[in-house]
Amino acid sequence: MRFEPRRNKTVSPRTRRLRVTGGALCAAALAATLVTGCGQDSGDKTAAETSEAAKVLPNQTTSPSGSPSETAQLTAEQTERKELLSTVKVTADKAVTTALGEVSGGKLTDLDLEGLDDEDDDDATGSPSPSGSPTGSASPSPEASGSPSGTGSPSPSGSSTTPKWVAEVVEKDGTAHNVIIDAVSGKVVDFAPDADQSAADKQELAAQIAKATQTPQQAAKVAMSRQKGWVTSMALDENDSQVLVWKVDVVSKGYNKTTFDVDAVKGTITDEQIDED
């Protein structure tokens, strides 16, 4: 069914009608005027025609945008981010503060929210990855303060179903320590030195933390000035041009992920990549 083209510009608006399958059925373009539009008819419409109109017209009152709900638009990756972030209470900046408190004089070089993406499923200490996405469905606030899912209080030892912040904190000589923080309670659930470091690794890390003048909190603030949302990862590393940068992942309110390269010395954004999934 469609609107017939206007053939006579002088025709009164009251005489305009919809034709349904070639018939003379009257209807208005909007659902709100359906009854009044037909009220001017000659009264020869049968109950059967009216019933048929009821079947056809609802399909014509859909919003022109036809946009589905937010849930229907989300990809599998976006849905996973939404479900995980709805359980997180400890923001990235709080996790940084907690991790630094475990290593006197140390500097953070890496922070990841475990379970957000496939590459985050295994933490640095070999702790088991989450066996599935959290079940929380509440929409989180931009400060990632959403309530945890109805699965009970997190285990004191940090069960695999509890979201975690996995941090690397480095001493001045380059010795790295891994700190795992419960992302709901904020408690440290594991802390251990990196047993796999070589002398070259320590030397490289020591040089990086000595060179970086921008803190992870400052880098996160720069990234958030470009994209509001939740910081889910920060890592100190060199880019393809051998420039030391903070790689900061920000998940937007639409649950898209953007990775920003923030110059670790100048504090400027040098690159940004949007995850298409």
Side-chain angles (χ1 to χ4, degrees):
M1 181 184 73
R2 60 181 178 82
F3 284 105
E4 290 290 339
R6 187 183 302 177
R7 293 185 172 84
N8 187 344
K9 294 184 179 180
T10 62
V11 175
S12 169
R14 287 180 175 275
T15 64
R16 296 172 192 153
R17 297 290 184 270
L18 279 171
R19 269 84 171 174
V20 181
T21 63
L25 176 62
C26 156
L30 298 175
T33 57
L34 178 61
V35 176
T36 57
C38 292
Q40 305 299 324
D41 212 339
S42 61
D44 59 351
K45 298 294 182 292
T46 65
E49 288 175 319
T50 302
S51 176
E52 184 64 23
K55 298 177 182 178
V56 176
L57 291 174
N59 294 328
Q60 307 301 313
T61 60
T62 304
S63 170
S65 63
S67 56
S69 65
E70 176 186 330
T71 302
Q73 292 179 348
L74 296 181
T75 65
E77 301 297 334
Q78 291 168 336
T79 299
E80 181 181 355
R81 293 169 191 149
K82 179 180 180 181
E83 290 178 348
L84 181 63
L85 287 168
S86 71
T87 71
V88 174
K89 282 190 172 183
V90 179
T91 56
D93 59 334
K94 291 180 180 178
V96 171
T97 300
T98 300
L100 290 175
E102 296 297 307
V103 182
S104 178
K107 292 187 178 181
L108 185 133
T109 57
D110 195 282
L111 181 71
D112 287 294
L113 183 58
E114 184 182 302
L116 188 64
D117 293 304
D118 291 341
E119 63 266 27
D120 299 328
D121 284 346
D122 295 319
D123 59 51
T125 61
S127 298
S129 61
S131 57
S133 300
T135 57
S137 58
S139 297
S141 69
E143 292 76 27
S145 60
S147 300
S149 63
T151 57
S153 301
S155 168
S157 61
S159 68
S160 61
T161 58
T162 302
K164 306 178 188 70
W165 287 104
V166 180
E168 180 183 72
V169 181
V170 178
E171 295 183 53
K172 188 176 181 179
D173 66 354
T175 301
H177 301 266
N178 299 308
V179 186
I180 300 180
I181 303 162
D182 187 304
V184 177
S185 69
K187 295 180 180 180
V188 174
V189 296
D190 199 3
F191 171 68
D194 187 349
D196 297 327
Q197 271 191 298
S198 65
D201 292 335
K202 289 184 179 182
Q203 185 177 6
E204 180 180 9
L205 283 175
Q208 287 181 346
I209 62 173
K211 182 178 180 180
T213 58
Q214 295 291 308
T215 66
Q217 295 96 324
Q218 289 172 324
K221 185 176 181 180
V222 171
M224 290 279 282
S225 69
R226 184 74 65 87
Q227 174 64 70
K228 300 300 182 183
W230 300 266
V231 173
T232 59
S233 178
M234 292 184 283
L236 186 63
D237 200 1
E238 290 185 347
N239 63 14
D240 293 339
S241 300
Q242 305 304 307
V243 175
L244 187 65
V245 298
W246 282 104
K247 290 186 173 294
V248 183
D249 287 351
V250 179
V251 174
S252 69
K253 292 181 180 180
Y255 303 102
N256 293 312
K257 185 180 75 174
T258 303
T259 300
F260 295 94
D261 283 5
V262 180
D263 191 303
V265 176
K266 299 178 180 179
T268 56
I269 294 176
T270 62
D271 188 42
E272 63 180 271
Q273 299 289 331
I274 299 176
D275 191 331
E276 298 297 335
D277 293 327

